[in-house]
Amino acid sequence: MNIRWYHFALWAAFMAVMFALPEFVSRGTLRTVIFANFLAIFAISWDVLSGRTGYISFGHPFLIGIGAYTTAILTKRFDVAIEASIPIAVIVTMIAGFIVFLPALRIKGSYFALVTLAFMELMYQLVQVIRPDLTGGTRGISGIQGITRGAVNGYYLSLTLLLVVAVTVWLVMRTRVGTALSAIGMNEESVRGSGLDTTKLKLFAFLFSALIAGLGGAFYAHYVGAIAPRALFDINFLFTIIVAALIGGAATTAGPIIGAFFLTFLLEYLRPYLPGAERYFIYGGVALLLYMYQPKGIIALLETMKDRIIRRSST
Amino acid sequence: MSSPLVISNLRKTFGGLVATNDVSFSVAQGESLALIGPNGAGKTTIFSQIMGELRQTAGTITLFGNEISKLSTPARIREGVSRTYQVPRPFGEMTVAENIRVGLMPDNIWHMITRSGNADRELELALSVGFSEDDLKRTPSELSMGDLRKLEMARTMATGPRVMLLDEVFAGLTVGEIAQIAALIQQMRKDGMTFLIVSHDLKALEPLVDRAIAIEQGTHIAEGPFAQVMADDAVRASYLGAA
Ligand SMILES: Nc1ncnc2c1ncn2[C@@H]1O[C@H](COP(=O)(O)OP(=O)(O)OP(=O)(O)O)[C@@H](O)[C@H]1O
Ligand SMILES: [Mg+2]
């Protein structure tokens, strides 16, 4: 993909709007946007592995959970400074992911998804029974030290994190490694037949994905201040991440961000009408319809619209 | 200098089926060898074992004096052997240029990220198999069978092989496209490339090879100059039997 002027223009416009946002919207809306920022980070993380290589992970909450729990335990139980606990949480996430996912990367197709799902479930059980004095058992950990005070600062922190993650992923995926990872998603045998060690590539995608998940999870724990196994290792949370990436546009960087915002606001607007889990049916339906209409996601719809506008203005 | 490719007592069984039955042969430096046999004779299975996509039941494969029979596919490609597939396997949502790019990539993630690709070489490879510069932006869904085979050739050449295995490069091609690919193979022979070629199009194959080897039901049945192998009773019987 070539860089065009409008790529820069779009990113600049997006950043300008995002940085000015607290001036225009209520604190409540701002808190919703913060959640969207975190969801976008998680969706990007999922996409780096699954959207590109086609190895569908059902275990991302497991990675995010390890990042969140590690920093929460370190700061709350051992008085470790946040500056140290977050990098440690990221490394622990990558190592834990490496140990449990590595064997899974040799498995193809739906088995990979099932194995990762099993790890999420296992984590959900383990967190409750092993060392509840550290993990807080079923109730989880609350009173986790915050990094910022107030919605505005929380917003800027989450936004900065999202931008750093998005730009880094965008830059890396623009290189040949991005092409190679997408090639694995299209035909892994041919990638090997082109002389590339796909295990190494998948491992790279996986560790990059785990790094982002651990980072996002750790910052998220410090933002919300309380984590519990029921909420983290949750199937709804998992599907929200996957659906955000898919309906936004998998294997792109902007797609998961767009999808995360779309979903967060869809869920938020449905809340007054459907307070319970029924909301998830509605978004499931919306996601399915969108997906049937354009499997490449909202970003592909926007591309078509852009092409139409350009064509119309040039005639 | 040791022989580019030596196959010794290669054997492959699928359950009770013997797909490769103690086959031995070698290809000399700069030689072009035809591998012929009826449908299901085991030609593709031999290619897959040379590339390590299938693991042999017994026997060894040696490339330029190094035994490669236990190496991974990418490691074998680094040693200098590469193949085309009978059924082209392009990366469906990538352009022609990107497909070739994957073949050109170093097997080193750090270099993939930090060093840029060689667009000139992509174009050069595309042109050499008969694409035009405009074709670089096309995707496989817009390509004819002939174009897909050309792309398969270009991606295989991109890996920098010293020995090339071509599996049914002429199937589904027009007469013009066959002539184009044949001319490319002749040019590469002049430049010293070593070939092992499988084709059912015996007329197109004959001028491209120095020698032929025939197999039937996984078993080596004849070897020698092309015309002599084609005149061999066992070979004639095997083709008649298949027809
Ligand atoms: N993975 C496999 N599992 C079981 N049997 C296989 C497998 N691959 C090939 N075979 C069998 O091995 C035999 C040789 O097949 P192969 O594809 O090598 O033949 P071929 O000479 O390339 O035929 P064609 O000219 O049709 O391409 C066939 O009987 C085939 O059915
Ligand atoms: Mg075959």
Side-chain angles (χ1 to χ4, degrees):
Chain A
M1 189 179 70
N2 297 316
I3 305 186
R4 301 264 167 71
W5 63 269
Y6 63 79
H7 288 133
F8 283 108
L10 281 175
W11 278 108
F14 174 69
M15 283 192 216
V17 169
M18 291 300 275
F19 274 96
L21 202 63
E23 303 294 329
F24 304 114
V25 302
S26 71
R27 293 290 171 269
T29 309
L30 212 52
R31 291 194 187 281
T32 308
V33 179
I34 295 173
F35 185 75
N37 286 342
F38 278 109
L39 182 59
I41 292 168
F42 300 146
I44 291 175
S45 158
W46 184 86
D47 187 68
V48 162
L49 174 68
S50 303
R52 313 266 168 181
T53 69
Y55 277 73
I56 305 300
S57 160
F58 279 175
H60 263 61
F62 164 83
L63 298 171
I64 294 161
I66 290 187
Y69 265 97
T70 307
T71 192
I73 292 170
L74 286 175
T75 52
K76 176 120 181 153
R77 316 265 188 240
F78 300 99
D79 286 324
V80 176
I82 291 179
E83 295 84 350
S85 73
I86 291 182
I88 295 173
V90 170
I91 293 166
V92 170
T93 307
M94 291 172 76
I95 294 173
F98 180 81
I99 293 168
V100 298
F101 276 44
L102 187 65
L105 278 176
R106 294 191 166 272
I107 323 173
K108 287 240 166 73
S110 28
Y111 289 105
F112 177 77
L114 283 179
V115 169
T116 55
L117 183 64
F119 278 122
M120 183 178 85
E121 191 55 32
L122 187 69
M123 191 69 187
Y124 173 57
Q125 305 292 346
L126 286 182
V127 152
Q128 300 177 57
V129 290
I130 294 186
R131 297 297 301 267
D133 55 320
L134 291 181
T135 64
T138 326
R139 279 179 296 114
I141 306 173
S142 57
I144 304 166
Q145 194 184 334
I147 301 175
T148 53
R149 262 175 218 288
V152 175
N153 290 332
Y155 168 74
Y156 280 123
L157 182 64
S158 67
L159 179 63
T160 308
L161 192 65
L162 170 60
L163 288 177
V164 169
V165 166
V167 171
T168 308
V169 168
W170 185 64
L171 288 174
V172 171
M173 291 303 168
R174 282 191 63 257
T175 69
R176 289 184 290 175
V177 85
T179 310
L181 293 180
S182 300
I184 290 179
M186 297 173 203
N187 194 330
E188 185 168 353
E189 287 299 304
S190 287
V191 178
R192 292 173 58 78
S194 303
L196 303 181
D197 181 346
T198 52
T199 307
K200 220 161 59 181
L201 282 163
K202 287 184 286 182
L203 186 61
F204 169 79
F206 179 72
L207 289 178
F208 195 15
S209 177
L211 184 154
I212 299 165
L215 191 68
F219 273 95
Y220 185 67
H222 290 293
Y223 168 68
V224 289
I227 52 174
R230 186 72 195 80
L232 265 180
F233 308 112
D234 175 43
I235 205 92
N236 283 330
F237 180 44
L238 165 67
F239 281 127
T240 309
I241 295 170
I242 297 179
V243 171
L246 288 183
I247 68 170
T252 66
T253 309
I257 302 177
I258 296 171
F261 274 77
F262 178 81
L263 265 193
T264 308
F265 279 93
L266 181 67
L267 286 174
E268 204 49 38
Y269 285 124
L270 288 173
R271 193 189 294 275
Y273 312 104
L274 295 166
E278 309 90 74
R279 275 183 299 153
Y280 289 95
F281 284 110
I282 303 283
Y283 99 53
V286 170
L288 195 66
L289 280 177
L290 249 172
Y291 197 73
M292 275 159 48
Y293 180 67
Q294 175 50 274
K296 287 183 182 166
I298 300 174
I299 194 159
L301 292 177
L302 293 176
E303 286 278 328
T304 335
M305 261 159 60
K306 182 204 78 190
D307 288 347
R308 263 189 216 148
I309 291 166
I310 289 176
R311 215 174 302 144
R312 201 163 297 165
S313 59
S314 66
T315 49
Chain B
M1 189 172 176
S2 37
S3 201
L5 180 65
V6 180
I7 310 284
S8 319
N9 302 316
L10 195 66
R11 185 175 185 80
K12 176 73 192 172
T13 55
F14 293 114
L17 179 82
V18 184
T20 311
N21 189 6
D22 292 321
V23 170
S24 301
F25 64 88
S26 64
V27 193
Q29 177 59 42
E31 188 184 30
S32 176
L33 179 66
L35 176 61
I36 61 172
N39 286 326
K43 306 178 293 290
T44 299
T45 304
I46 291 178
F47 275 20
S48 302
Q49 291 172 88
I50 297 173
M51 294 312 301
E53 291 152 345
L54 280 178
R55 198 46 67 90
Q56 68 279 356
T57 309
T60 57
I61 300 155
T62 312
L63 199 75
F64 298 104
N66 303 321
E67 194 190 325
I68 58 166
S69 358
K70 293 189 178 68
L71 299 181
S72 71
T73 304
R76 294 177 199 217
I77 291 172
R78 266 199 301 281
E79 294 287 322
V81 60
S82 198
R83 77 176 284 189
T84 68
Y85 294 94
Q86 184 167 1
V87 180
R89 301 169 161 189
F91 304 116
E93 283 165 48
M94 286 185 182
T95 62
V96 166
E98 285 168 328
N99 267 274
I100 298 173
R101 189 170 309 154
V102 176
L104 283 170
M105 284 183 197
D107 189 17
N108 178 319
I109 291 175
W110 183 244
H111 290 168
M112 280 184 196
I113 296 174
T114 55
R115 299 183 186 172
S116 54
N118 187 342
D120 293 342
R121 182 89 184 110
E122 287 166 20
L123 177 61
E124 191 186 329
L125 281 163
L127 294 178
S128 76
V129 295
F131 282 120
S132 69
E133 191 163 355
D134 293 336
D135 289 333
L136 285 179
K137 290 194 197 67
R138 296 167 74 201
T139 53
S141 59
E142 307 162 346
L143 299 181
S144 67
M145 184 44 110
D147 286 342
L148 289 174
R149 295 223 180 269
K150 289 192 242 169
L151 182 55
E152 192 64 31
M153 276 291 275
R155 193 184 48 73
T156 305
M157 287 159 67
T159 65
R162 289 183 287 164
V163 177
M164 277 179 79
L165 318 178
L166 308 181
D167 200 351
E168 297 291 0
V169 268
F170 299 126
L173 301 201
T174 64
V175 178
E177 287 169 336
I178 291 177
Q180 206 169 30
I181 300 278
L184 173 65
I185 295 172
Q186 293 294 29
Q187 182 57 49
M188 292 172 80
R189 285 176 74 198
K190 281 209 196 81
D191 298 340
M193 179 66 74
T194 301
F195 282 105
L196 181 59
I197 310 179
V198 165
S199 177
H200 280 294
D201 188 339
L202 300 172
K203 258 219 286 303
L205 185 58
E206 182 162 16
L208 300 179
V209 297
D210 302 302
R211 209 157 53 91
I213 162 167
I215 57 169
E216 188 197 2
Q217 292 182 14
T219 310
H220 178 298
I221 54 171
E223 185 169 351
F226 194 86
Q228 184 189 314
V229 169
M230 289 314 297
D232 185 280
D233 286 342
V235 175
R236 293 171 70 102
S238 81
Y239 269 93
L240 283 176

